[in-house]
Amino acid sequence: MTLLTVHQHNHPSPATTATATGPHPAAEPDPTTQTSTETKTGTGTSAKTPVDPTRMPRLTTTVPREYVHRSTLAEVFLTGCEQTGNTHYTLTAQWPRAHTFFTTPDGTHHHPLQAAETIRQTGIYLAHAELGIPLGHHFLMRNLHLTTHPQHLTIGPTPTDLTLTATYTPHHPHTKRPTDFTMHITITRNGHPTATGTGRFTCLTPTTYQRLRHPHTTTPDTTTVGTTSTSTSTSDAGTQHQPPNPPPTHYGRTLPHDIVLTPTPHPHTWQLTPNPHHPILFDHTTDHIPGMVLLEAAHQATTAHTHPTPTTHPTHPTTLHATFHHYTEHHTPTYITTHTTTNDQAPTTHITAHQNNTTVFTAQLTTHTSTDTDTDTDTDTTQKSASSR
């Protein structure tokens, strides 16, 4: 079975000064926090009493970037982990106030897909640091189910500190290592539920992955990826004149290089055309389209489908159910189609991605338009938290 991977390539081993589960030491202790005494010796020299490491303050840093398959430290959101039961863990995380990608267009909220990325990092981190999966192994994410609470995604005056509780369920509990497991994760902020998610992960050895992916082991051709191409497609969506691409706000974004879709002549149909140099979506080299690109495409297509005219209030995905059926290849055109259904007055957009008439990805996404009440409620909570630091 071929599915989406969220693997790493050519990452070095983590620094030996970083540990997987405990607090990570800073390079240098703050000299203002050190306590030392000087004693006179017979020769008139002085000596400092060594600082007891157990009495040094616990400092905050990120977990090793290699353990979450990220190349850039700025994109590592997890900051610590503690095992609280046989299959239960408590983790800490932090979201920056002004992330270059995971921020709503009006700059007031963390983007809901940042919760999806945090869940992805949590599953991979626990597999490496706690479940014994070696670095260099590859990961398939078979599905992802996510629910977010926009009133608790407001950006406050300080970075957003989060607490995560994670429980993993192995699908083959009698194996030496849990190479196929489901992770259930709850993200809270100041005691309030911010997001909940469930994802199924499968781990592959490098040898198994190479055998599974052959011959699709080439990297994207940056001269063609991100442009409309139709030479290898069995669909006629790209054979007609391409309509002009609307402004980024049409897709719920503000910067052109964040747009991953190009319109086609067919209604509610787009071609997937991400920028292969995007620093977040293509953080490291892969031999296929990353899963976060498909999730972003689902979000952008939903925004364009349900809100073709931008409103004064941002639209937030509140529930997302995504399934990755096959790898999405770089060199074959991918088309995204949408249709909507309404249940309990909340529109749900159904997204399908296909290559060569084969479904590679499906998702259902329900949106919520924020109001001033949502923002005021969460801002008040954030300010109370900041004042208690």
Side-chain angles (χ1 to χ4, degrees):
M1 180 181 293
T2 57
L3 299 168
L4 173 80
T5 62
V6 283
H7 61 80
Q8 91 187 73
H9 282 282
N10 301 323
H11 286 315
S13 299
T16 57
T17 56
T19 60
T21 58
H24 304 285
E28 292 288 345
D30 187 345
T32 62
T33 64
Q34 291 185 350
T35 58
S36 62
T37 59
E38 295 185 355
T39 57
K40 297 291 184 179
T41 65
T43 58
T45 60
S46 62
K48 294 183 178 180
T49 302
V51 177
D52 184 357
T54 63
R55 301 183 62 182
M56 294 178 65
R58 296 186 62 176
L59 305 178
T60 300
T61 186
T62 66
V63 303
R65 60 186 174 87
E66 293 84 0
Y67 285 176
V68 296
H69 295 189
R70 278 298 178 214
S71 297
T72 307
L73 284 173
E75 299 308 317
V76 179
F77 300 138
L78 302 182
T79 58
C81 176
E82 179 182 0
Q83 185 170 5
T84 55
N86 189 34
T87 58
H88 302 274
Y89 299 87
T90 297
L91 302 96
T92 54
Q94 186 181 87
W95 290 344
R97 287 181 294 169
H99 194 276
T100 58
F101 185 71
F102 291 120
T103 304
T104 55
D106 63 354
T108 63
H109 288 71
H110 298 288
H111 197 284
L113 288 186
Q114 191 164 19
E117 169 61 18
T118 304
I119 289 171
R120 185 200 73 87
Q121 291 189 15
T122 301
I124 296 175
Y125 173 79
L126 290 177
H128 284 313
E130 299 290 344
L131 305 182
I133 303 299
L135 291 173
H137 279 47
H138 302 262
F139 286 75
L140 313 177
M141 179 174 277
R142 296 174 179 266
N143 54 55
L144 174 68
H145 307 286
L146 176 69
T147 299
T148 63
H149 304 276
Q151 69 272 26
H152 299 306
L153 292 174
T154 304
I155 296 175
T158 60
T160 300
D161 291 317
L162 304 165
T163 300
L164 290 72
T165 57
T167 302
Y168 85 91
T169 303
H171 292 277
H172 306 286
H174 301 297
T175 58
K176 182 178 180 180
R177 292 191 181 110
T179 57
D180 187 12
F181 59 89
T182 294
M183 195 71 65
H184 305 272
I185 298 167
T186 299
I187 303 175
T188 59
R189 173 186 186 180
N190 303 324
H192 299 282
T194 302
T196 56
T198 300
R200 183 173 178 179
F201 297 81
T202 299
C203 309
L204 300 174
T205 66
T207 300
T208 300
Y209 181 79
Q210 290 297 324
R211 184 173 65 250
L212 180 66
R213 289 293 291 141
H214 183 77
H216 302 289
T217 55
T218 57
T219 57
D221 181 355
T222 57
T223 63
T224 59
V225 174
T227 61
T228 300
S229 173
T230 60
S231 59
T232 58
S233 176
T234 59
S235 170
D236 65 352
T239 61
Q240 304 178 36
H241 176 70
Q242 296 295 321
N245 215 353
T249 52
H250 181 79
Y251 299 105
R253 289 292 182 180
T254 57
L255 300 177
H257 78 273
D258 288 338
I259 304 306
V260 301
L261 301 177
T262 297
T264 71
H266 299 277
H268 309 308
T269 302
W270 297 265
Q271 185 170 352
L272 183 66
T273 55
N275 175 9
H277 302 290
H278 196 283
I280 311 302
L281 295 176
F282 291 91
D283 171 79
H284 55 275
T285 303
T286 64
D287 61 10
H288 60 274
I289 300 294
M292 288 303 297
V293 173
L294 295 172
L295 294 180
E296 177 62 23
H299 163 251
Q300 292 187 15
T302 296
T303 303
H305 184 121
T306 58
H307 297 279
T309 302
T311 62
T312 56
H313 295 292
T315 299
H316 304 280
T318 53
T319 61
L320 169 67
H321 302 285
T323 302
F324 305 97
H325 301 279
H326 296 280
Y327 293 102
T328 305
E329 307 298 344
H330 284 297
H331 302 287
T332 304
T334 304
Y335 293 97
I336 308 291
T337 59
T338 60
H339 72 275
T340 59
T341 58
T342 301
N343 185 20
D344 297 330
Q345 299 181 345
T348 297
T349 303
H350 303 262
I351 304 100
T352 302
H354 58 274
Q355 286 187 327
N356 289 330
N357 298 322
T358 298
T359 298
V360 294
F361 167 77
T362 55
Q364 298 82 45
L365 198 152
T366 302
T367 59
H368 164 82
T369 301
S370 69
T371 63
D372 292 332
T373 301
D374 293 337
T375 302
D376 292 344
T377 299
D378 198 55
T379 300
D380 180 64
T381 301
T382 304
Q383 289 175 344
K384 289 180 180 179
S385 173
S387 65
S388 63
R389 293 176 184 271

